[in-house]
Amino acid sequence: MRRIRYQVACSLDGYIARPQGDISWIPAEPAIDFSKLFAKFDTLLMGRKTFANLPLNDPEYSPLYARKELVVISSTLAASSYPHMTIINELSRDVIEQLRRRPSKDIWLFGGGELFRHLLTLDMRVGNRASIIGRRHPISAAASALMPAYAHQATPV
């Protein structure tokens, strides 16, 4: 069964975007081979906000999305308007399990902090490279206070 893997840039205090969704704080990282990273996945799972900001027509980035199944979770988008994508209007554990059962590469939970939180509320296991150790020795007292209440309950895959 395919894994859902969450690979996302995250600030030290646990944020993936500024309040209005701006991600310009993320520095360019020439050491990251994005072609190699994208090659690990054939399905990108995202929410509507991430989809709306996807640079599908950008000549530098659009080749990365070519031949990928884009699965967008949205209660407002109509599937008929996006025939080359999978639009899921209501997220459930069954829907996610159906995606995972398809024989193929792993699924990239692409962006989507809200979607990540929603998967946690469905008691879904989402794999990532980060470790959440919970209430131990924080880098600072302020950082400890900013950690989400559910962080110590997450189960690494």
Side-chain angles (χ1 to χ4, degrees), residues 40-111:
K40 296 177 182 180
F41 306 93
D42 60 4
T43 304
L44 306 179
L45 175 64
M46 65 193 77
R48 182 197 48 80
K49 292 177 194 172
T50 298
F51 170 67
N53 291 301
L54 216 56
L56 293 174
N57 297 318
D58 184 318
E60 182 179 354
Y61 293 102
S62 61
L64 297 173
Y65 305 106
R67 296 179 302 279
K68 304 286 184 212
E69 179 183 9
L70 301 182
V71 178
V72 182
I73 309 299
S74 171
S75 60
T76 59
L77 297 179
S80 59
S81 299
Y82 301 92
H84 302 293
M85 295 177 216
T86 301
I87 305 294
I88 298 173
N89 295 121
E90 188 173 330
L91 184 62
S92 69
R93 187 177 182 84
D94 289 338
V95 166
I96 295 300
E97 290 300 329
Q98 287 174 13
L99 281 174
R100 292 184 65 218
R101 279 191 212 102
R102 293 182 192 167
S104 202
K105 295 180 181 179
D106 285 342
I107 301 165
W108 187 350
L109 177 53
F110 199 74

